[in-house]
Amino acid sequence: MIEENDQPLKNEEELEQQVEETTAPVEKATPTDEIIIVSEDDDDLPAPVEEDKGPIKESEDNLKEELIEVLGDDDDDDDWWKSGDDYTDKERQEMAKMYASTLREFNSNEIVQGTVVAITDKEIVMNIGFKSEGIIPTNEFRDMPEIKPGDSVEVFIEEVEDQSGQLILSRRRAKHLRTWERIENSMEKDEVLTGHVMRRTKGGFVVDISGIEAFLPGSQIDVKPVRDFDAYVGRTMEFKVVKINHAYENVVVSHKVLIEAQLEKQREAILQNLEKGQVLEGTVKNMTNFGVFIDLGGVDGLLHITDISWGRINHPQEVLELDEKVNVVVLDFDDAKKRISLGMKQLTEHPWDSLPEEIQEGSKVNGRVVTVADYGVFLEIMPGVEGLIHTSEMSWSQHSKNPADAYKVGDEFEAVVLSIDREDRKMSLGLKQLQVDPWSLVVEKFPVGSIHTGIVRNMTNYGLFVELEEGVDGLVHISDLSWTKKFAHPSEYVKVDDNLEVVVLEIDVDNRRLSLGHKQLTEDVWETFATIFTLGSTHQGTIKRIDSRGAIVELEYGVEGNVPSKHLKVEDGKEDLKVDDSADFVVIEFNKDAKRLVLSHSKTWREEPEKKKTPRKGKPSGGGNNQGKAGTTVLGEIDALAKLKEQMEADEKGE
């Protein structure tokens, strides 16, 4: 190198001599990577440097440093060799970049672009710019049947070098990762994806989205109920991703949200132009027990079951079918709640307006039972025109049965129009009017004094009702059940639905009343008792019941008497009388007409009775009939009275 203080060379000989001196140690040019520095001490010689056979891993900066070492630094004053260089600085830099572009660092688990080099029956050879080529099975390119050498395809580096030094690539993994990126981006950006419905599964479908299996719930297929799920299998549809589970790589998609978004726009347009009374065309979307939902083209309206037909129907399916096109009228709508009430029967004339004029009170009509209630049945005489048959108008009997036991929906029969109001559209019908009123013949069939057997239909505290025939009932007062017994309730003597023999006492046709008696079947035994239970006579009796007013005592022959409370007192030192106790009683009152016998126990010990105790057997006078029997028995003898008692007791026991 020439320093600033050096003198200029005098001639060429000096110059050549100086060059020779400078280059004397170097006998032969040696490449940079083959230069070995030799030490004077042989023991200190370094081991020979082996040539690196691995991939070039140097970065671009290291490459530049090597190039500078080879080509020299522009700023180095010792760049004398540039005088013979044919490249400019710009060309040299471009060459360095070209050299660096041929070398890059490859890592596992990344996606790179590869070029098809060769294709065989089972494998496809790919070049990714690495020192060796990769092989991928042809089954990973099934979606690319037209692939050929020279095509560029994204592949995934599974391993840069396996144990045998082979580059392991996969197109399936690359496609899988790219699809996942697209799915995630579609959810973030609310984009639409296209997928193929592969098969049905529990609760929905499995959808293939570019190799990723997503789940489509059955409720996310359509806005309207799906009746045939199998029809969707094999279809290619658009979806939106609604949920991603990265841990399990699960994707949930929906086709319904796309429809809802479109319907929302249609719904807003429909609601803006909606008016009451407007007639629209819709499709039957769904049916329930209370009505039908009609799809108006983006918005649903409710057609209530009562607004489907003027006639009464039990279920909408009797008139309409799913997916049927119908015309409906807007009855009402709520903008805030987006609820629309629709009607279909309002498009036709009301049947009451066309009801024939010949249908008047008293005319007979035929109809069909459409409703059965506790209070009666509704008979439809024409669609939309109904009449009520009240339970009281079904039969002349006062003891009407439950309508559900006698009639059912669909029964057809004739009825009589009792009243009709065309303005209020109401009609009252009757069935019993088709039959003869039994009360019109009651005087002939059931004259006063006649004896009949009827059925006990009902009971009250004051008596019981006996049905002589359908529509004709009579009352047996509780006091007319027995000459001798006093009952707190008729059920103590007879039960409902029992047969009971009665005699007609009185008839009131206008008020439809019959007075019946049961004890009148026998002769009044009180005529005979007047000779037995005389005032002051003493008799033995058994206490049947005790209350605040006193006690009821049963004497011989089954006759009962009242003992006031003050007359129940016993002698000092004795226990009070109680139910089922037997004691002596004195007759203090006997009223044949009122059938009343009043007794006293206290008179048996406070004072001497007026008469001696009457023995159980005597000779009473008079006569009478056996209770509960149609025949008569004379009661002139004591033996006859004894038999009367036995028969009365047997009658009470139901013998």
Side-chain angles (χ1 to χ4, degrees), residues 255-426:
H255 179 70
K256 178 180 177 180
V257 294
L258 297 176
I259 302 176
E260 288 178 339
Q262 183 179 3
L263 293 179
E264 183 62 28
K265 296 179 181 179
Q266 299 178 5
R267 185 181 296 112
E268 293 177 358
I270 293 175
L271 291 175
Q272 288 178 356
N273 301 322
L274 200 63
E275 296 180 358
K276 292 183 179 180
Q278 184 178 7
V279 179
L280 302 172
E281 184 183 41
T283 304
V284 178
K285 179 179 179 181
N286 192 18
M287 289 187 182
T288 64
N289 292 329
F290 57 85
V292 178
F293 288 96
I294 305 294
D295 183 4
L296 301 176
V299 61
D300 292 346
L302 175 61
L303 175 62
H304 198 270
I305 189 172
T306 57
D307 292 315
I308 295 177
S309 171
W310 291 113
R312 193 184 296 267
I313 59 177
N314 296 318
H315 196 278
Q317 64 185 6
E318 298 177 9
V319 180
L320 300 173
E321 295 180 357
L322 291 173
D323 299 328
E324 181 182 354
K325 298 285 186 180
V326 294
N327 290 328
V328 291
V329 60
V330 178
L331 302 179
D332 195 7
F333 64 91
D334 188 339
D335 291 330
K337 297 181 179 179
K338 296 182 180 180
R339 293 180 179 175
I340 304 175
S341 297
L342 304 175
M344 193 169 71
K345 71 180 183 181
Q346 288 78 4
L347 297 175
T348 60
E349 184 182 11
H350 199 290
W352 271 90
D353 298 334
S354 58
L355 186 66
E357 290 295 333
E358 56 267 21
I359 297 181
Q360 300 292 336
E361 293 184 7
S363 60
K364 298 179 181 180
V365 293
N366 291 310
R368 178 178 65 92
V369 176
V370 291
T371 302
V372 179
D374 293 338
Y375 52 86
V377 298
F378 286 90
L379 194 70
E380 184 182 59
I381 63 175
M382 60 182 294
V385 179
E386 300 174 3
L388 172 63
I389 305 177
H390 196 269
T391 53
S392 61
E393 303 298 338
M394 292 181 178
S395 171
W396 290 109
S397 175
Q398 299 298 319
H399 310 284
S400 301
K401 299 179 181 179
N402 189 335
D405 297 334
Y407 305 98
K408 62 180 183 297
V409 175
D411 289 347
E412 297 183 2
F413 46 79
E414 188 179 45
V416 177
V417 179
L418 302 181
S419 64
I420 184 170
D421 188 341
R422 295 178 182 269
E423 293 183 0
D424 293 338
R425 295 169 178 172
K426 294 181 179 180

Side-chain angles (χ1 to χ4, degrees), residues 59-71:
S59 63
E60 186 175 350
D61 293 338
N62 294 334
L63 180 60
K64 289 181 178 180
E65 291 179 1
E66 291 181 2
L67 292 174
I68 291 174
E69 290 179 3
V70 175
L71 301 177

Side-chain angles (χ1 to χ4, degrees), residues 544-562:
K544 291 300 183 182
R545 58 179 179 270
I546 298 176
D547 54 27
S548 58
R549 294 174 297 179
I552 300 297
V553 176
E554 182 180 16
L555 303 176
E556 56 265 40
Y557 311 113
V559 67
E560 292 181 349
N562 295 326

Side-chain angles (χ1 to χ4, degrees), residues 203-227:
F205 300 86
V206 175
V207 179
D208 179 24
I209 303 178
S210 300
I212 300 294
E213 291 189 354
F215 176 63
L216 172 63
S219 61
Q220 295 298 316
I221 299 177
D222 205 340
V223 293
K224 57 185 178 181
V226 178
R227 291 181 287 276

